[in-house]
């Protein structure tokens, strides 16, 4: 899954009105620690593909969002779950810490759902073959 890019103009649609939870990486090109966060965002995007969206926001290009969410330091990683207050952490965190901080494990992963579905289908096929 590709990481999406949100702007002042698209943030509301991409994040606030998303029916899925969204992890947002507030970053800037000149920020060294932001470069460390990028691979962690890729890991989250891959692991939770289809269940959680990952969005990047360049704070220099989108000052309205920086003001709206009071982004004073970067990288800031924020988690927006539908119907809940956003949560955020400042600074580099490995994927595992972000998963714990935002309780990402409570959201179903598409790969696991597909495996479960395949297992149920296999059981159903086996049961009908036996009958």
């Amino acid at each position: 899954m590709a990481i999406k890019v949100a702007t002042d103009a698209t943030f509301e649609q991409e994040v606030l009105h998303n029916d899925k939870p969204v992890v947002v990486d507030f970053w800037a090109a000149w920020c060294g620690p932001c470069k460390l966060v990028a691979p962690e965002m890729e890991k989250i995007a891959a692991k939770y593909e289809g269940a959680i969206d990952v969005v990047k926001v360049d704070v220099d290009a989108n000052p309205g969002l920086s003001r709206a969410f009071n982004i004073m330091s970067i990288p800031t990683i924020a988690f927006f779950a539908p119907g809940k207050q956003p949560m955020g952490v400042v600074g580099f965190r490995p994927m595992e810490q972000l998963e714990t901080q935002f309780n990402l494990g409570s959201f179903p992963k598409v790969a696991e759902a597909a495996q479960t579905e395949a297992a149920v289908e296999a059981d159903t096929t086996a049961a009908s073959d036996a009958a």
Side-chain angles (χ1 to χ4, degrees), residues 39-45 47-48 92-100 104:
E40 303 305 309
M41 294 296 102
E42 293 284 349
K43 290 179 194 173
I44 290 172
K47 184 170 182 178
Y48 294 94
F92 170 78
R93 301 282 194 292
M95 179 185 74
E96 296 77 16
Q97 283 186 9
L98 293 170
E99 285 179 307
T100 301
L104 300 183

Side-chain angles (χ1 to χ4, degrees), residues 8-24:
D8 285 343
T10 64
F11 188 84
E12 193 170 328
Q13 185 62 37
E14 292 285 348
V15 179
L16 300 179
H17 294 302
N18 198 326
D19 59 345
K20 292 185 275 194
V22 183
V23 175
V24 180

Side-chain angles (χ1 to χ4, degrees), residues 13-64:
Q13 185 62 37
E14 292 285 348
V15 179
L16 300 179
H17 294 302
N18 198 326
D19 59 345
K20 292 185 275 194
V22 183
V23 175
V24 180
D25 175 12
F26 291 94
W27 70 286
W30 50 264
C31 167
C34 295
K35 292 177 174 83
L36 298 174
V37 169
E40 303 305 309
M41 294 296 102
E42 293 284 349
K43 290 179 194 173
I44 290 172
K47 184 170 182 178
Y48 294 94
E49 182 175 357
I52 297 173
D53 284 346
V54 177
V55 173
K56 293 180 75 75
V57 174
D58 181 340
V59 296
D60 289 338
N62 300 284

